[in-house]
Structure formats: C-alpha cells, structure tokens
Amino acid sequence: MDKKEFIKTVSKFTTGITIVTLGDSKKGFYGCTMNSFTSLSLNPPQILFCVDIRNGFIKEFKRNTLVNINILSDKQKDLSNKFASSPELRWKDTKFKVSKNDVPFFQDSLVVIETVIDKKILSGDHLIIICGLRKIIHLKKGNPLAYFEGKYLSL
C-alpha cells in the first residue's frame, strides 16, 4: 500500500487530542501530543496509546510505569502544538501541576487520567502501550480538541 494513500485514508477518522506526560520531579518530566489514544477494556479499565519508536522519549516510555493522559479542550490548541514541537521548548513557560503520583498534568484539560503501564507491544514502527486506570484526577467542562484531515477542529 502506498504510504501517502494510507495517511490520507486514516486522516478521515476524527480523533481527540491528548498530551501524554510521564517522568518525575527527580529525573525530569516528559510529554508529547498524541492522537493515537483509545479505550481498550471496561473490566479491568484500560486504555492504550501508540508511540512512534523514533520518538525522542521512547526510552522514558520503556523505563517509566506511571503515565498521565491529558484529554485536551479546544482551548489548548497552542499547548498541543507546543508538545508536538521541539522537546527543549515543551516545558518552558508551561503551566502545569504535579499529581500525587509525581507525574505532571495540565489543569485546563477536560480530563486527566492517572494510569500505570501494564504492557508494551512492539508492532511495526510503533510501541503500543496498554495502561490500567488508577483514577481521574481532574474534570473540566468544555469542548474537545479534535483532529481531522491534518487540521484541528473543535466541536
């Protein structure tokens, strides 16, 4: 299959935007924008997301077990762009809090979910990360930030 045709095809599927954060205050914080996030299981409650193996933080995803999922609102487009850009700029002048698990989160997100990594599966050029839910630590009213055909949209 032609790579460009495949990308064009999957861009027709509207996805929500998240920023996955990990790390701790001693070793440093990491995070990146992702739209490859979905629920996986109700019993036990699990989610999954996929990380490109060329991601500069892939070692951190392999090393850390605690991860926060920030489901972004349409007011967080700039934050999404920032965490999709240069890793050196992501945390500079960025407002965040640290949850009880010592992992950063963004308080203006619609939902922030504390998770623990249960399993990692290498498939193609991505690492599939399956996480068990610990708790929802923040809930805000608003509209989601979505992605369709390579562009942001809000509902």
Side-chain angles (χ1 to χ4, degrees), residues 47-110:
I47 57 92
L48 71 78
F49 59 91
C50 303
V51 183
D52 190 317
I53 59 173
R54 296 169 295 179
N55 183 302
F57 302 131
I58 197 71
K59 289 179 186 173
E60 297 306 321
F61 283 105
K62 290 179 179 178
R63 181 179 9 233
N64 287 284
T65 58
L66 300 176
V67 176
N68 285 348
I69 311 294
N70 299 266
I71 299 175
L72 301 186
S73 78
D74 60 357
K75 308 265 189 279
Q76 293 175 295
K77 182 176 160 184
D78 290 341
L79 186 66
S80 173
N81 285 330
K82 188 174 191 178
F83 275 77
S85 70
S86 172
E88 299 81 34
L89 301 176
R90 293 178 186 179
W91 295 101
K92 185 178 170 86
D93 300 323
T94 300
K95 292 180 184 177
F96 66 94
K97 290 193 174 192
V98 177
S99 61
K100 289 182 182 177
N101 66 1
D102 201 25
V103 178
F105 72 96
F106 306 107
Q107 64 186 23
D108 290 334
S109 300
L110 294 176

Side-chain angles (χ1 to χ4, degrees), residues 17-20 31-35 79-84 152:
I17 302 294
T18 67
I19 295 177
V20 176
C32 53
T33 300
M34 290 192 195
N35 70 340
L79 186 66
S80 173
N81 285 330
K82 188 174 191 178
F83 275 77
Y152 290 110

Side-chain angles (χ1 to χ4, degrees), residues 124-152:
D125 59 4
H126 278 67
L127 186 64
I128 301 165
I129 300 178
I130 298 172
C131 299
L133 275 64
R134 289 263 173 104
K135 69 177 187 175
I136 297 170
I137 61 170
H138 193 69
L139 183 63
K140 193 160 187 118
K141 293 186 181 195
N143 293 317
L145 184 61
Y147 207 63
F148 178 74
E149 292 187 329
K151 297 179 184 135
Y152 290 110

